[in-house]
């Protein structure tokens, strides 16, 4: 983005401010950012449509596309003005080995080992995540741990069946797609959504009980998180940012 923006011929350097950060390997269906383009004296402001076309022209080799652009007030900030962020985690059930994942779904979902999941138990467990809690147990120990508040409010934690890309063409394989959707004003940096998703899958597999989720929240200790219960990044998508 920074490199593409150099071609906009702004008289001052352009810097993108992105709304959300994600772990390596995580995807974004729709992220948002703001930037300031200072035009040369006497030149009209850059029309939003022209901005979109220009950036996309220089982003051709990258898996990034600008979907739309809007003029905003000077007080707007892509990160701090957001009211909520929604993440979706995609699960694929019915694969006994990773080689059975459809090629068009590779690196776009998680196929946990084992058979079907106990979805009612997962929904019971998700209920414990809703509301305002200290999520210390669900974040990794990092350099920002001592200074960032671990308290967050989860507005949505939903589990629902979904459809895979072209899945209606291979219904005979008996594969099932599910989505876990989480919404909050903000999430703790580094792996919180992946840990919530992994813990819910562990409940669905019978490795944890729904009540264990409540107990993990109460422990407020990252070291208490069950080993090997974190979901991989490939299934996680930033779905939307609301303003």
């Amino acid at each position: 983005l920074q490199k593409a923006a150099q071609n906009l011929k702004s008289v001052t350097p352009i810097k993108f401010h992105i709304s959300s950060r994600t772990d390596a390997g995580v995807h974004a269906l729709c992220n948002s950012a703001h930037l300031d383009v200072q035009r040369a004296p006497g030149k009209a402001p850059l029309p939003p449509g022209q901005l979109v076309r220009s950036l996309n022209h220089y982003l051709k080799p990258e898996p990034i596309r600008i979907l739309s652009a809007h003029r905003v007030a000077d007080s707007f900030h892509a990160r701090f003005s957001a009211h909520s962020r929604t993440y979706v985690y995609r699960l694929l059930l019915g694969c006994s080995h990773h080689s059975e994942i459809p090629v068009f779904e590779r690196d776009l979902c998680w196929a946990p080992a084992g058979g079907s999941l106990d979805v009612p138990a997962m929904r019971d467990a998700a209920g414990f995540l809703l509301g305002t809690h200290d999520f210390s147990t669900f974040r990794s120990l990092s350099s920002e741990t001592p200074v960032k508040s671990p308290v967050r409010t989860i507005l949505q934690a939903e589990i629902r069946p979904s459809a895979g890309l072209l899945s209606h063409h291979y219904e005979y394989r008996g594969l099932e797609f599910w989505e876990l959707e989480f919404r909050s004003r903000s999430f703790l940096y580094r792996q919180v959504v992946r840990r919530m998703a992994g813990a819910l899958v562990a409940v669905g597999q019978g490795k944890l009980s729904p009540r264990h989720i409540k107990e993990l929240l109460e422990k407020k200790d990252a070291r208490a998180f069950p080993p090997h219960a974190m979901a991989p990044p490939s299934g996680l998508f930033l779905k939307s940012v609301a303003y």
Side-chain angles (χ1 to χ4, degrees):
L1 283 171
Q2 291 283 163
K3 188 175 180 181
Q6 292 174 8
N7 297 281
L8 298 177
K9 297 182 172 57
S10 174
V11 298
T12 57
I14 291 177
K15 180 180 179 181
F16 278 85
H17 299 267
I18 308 293
S19 71
S20 299
R21 301 177 291 179
T22 60
D23 301 330
V26 175
H27 316 285
L29 298 171
C30 187
N31 206 338
S32 57
H34 81 262
L35 70 160
D36 295 310
V37 182
Q38 184 66 46
R39 301 278 275 173
K43 291 200 113 183
L46 195 64
Q50 184 179 337
L51 174 69
V52 171
R53 291 189 295 273
S54 178
L55 288 176
N56 281 336
H57 174 77
Y58 293 104
L59 286 168
K60 279 181 181 177
E62 304 296 333
I64 303 170
R65 289 297 177 269
I66 308 302
L67 304 180
S68 62
H70 309 274
R71 195 176 306 282
V72 292
D74 289 342
S75 59
F76 177 85
H77 194 286
R79 179 180 173 191
F80 300 116
S81 299
H83 291 163
S84 69
R85 295 161 174 85
T86 301
Y87 282 87
V88 168
Y89 198 96
R90 301 183 68 239
L91 297 172
L92 171 59
L93 307 181
C95 295
S96 58
H97 189 267
H98 66 80
S99 63
E100 297 178 6
I101 298 174
V103 66
F104 296 111
E105 292 284 357
R106 190 176 299 163
D107 299 325
L108 298 175
C109 61
W110 176 29
S116 60
L117 299 176
D118 185 343
V119 174
M122 294 172 68
R123 288 175 173 150
D124 289 343
F128 290 114
L129 296 171
L130 291 172
T132 303
H133 306 284
D134 183 320
F135 281 89
S136 292
T137 304
F138 287 82
R139 70 171 175 180
S140 65
L141 294 170
S142 66
S143 58
E144 69 173 14
T145 297
V147 296
K148 293 285 187 179
S149 171
V151 177
R152 291 293 186 273
T153 300
I154 303 298
L155 303 170
Q156 178 186 10
E158 185 178 340
I159 302 154
R160 58 172 179 260
S162 182
L165 180 65
L166 302 173
S167 59
H168 58 287
H169 289 296
Y170 50 82
E171 291 176 344
Y172 65 92
R173 294 186 58 184
L175 302 179
E176 292 182 21
F177 289 88
W178 289 80
E179 289 183 356
L180 313 180
E181 186 164 310
F182 303 94
R183 180 167 57 91
S184 174
R185 186 181 186 281
S186 64
F187 293 90
L188 291 174
Y189 183 43
R190 290 181 66 84
Q191 307 167 343
V192 167
V193 178
R194 290 169 56 196
R195 287 173 184 247
M196 290 192 297
L200 292 181
V201 168
V203 169
Q205 293 173 326
K207 297 176 181 178
L208 296 176
S209 71
R211 195 78 185 172
H212 274 130
I213 302 300
K214 183 175 185 295
E215 294 171 359
L216 288 172
L217 287 168
E218 292 171 346
K219 287 181 179 178
K220 303 176 184 178
D221 184 355
R223 294 167 294 185
F225 190 79
H228 314 300
M230 185 169 67
S234 56
L236 184 58
F237 295 74
L238 173 61
K239 177 181 177 180
S240 61
V241 182
Y243 294 96

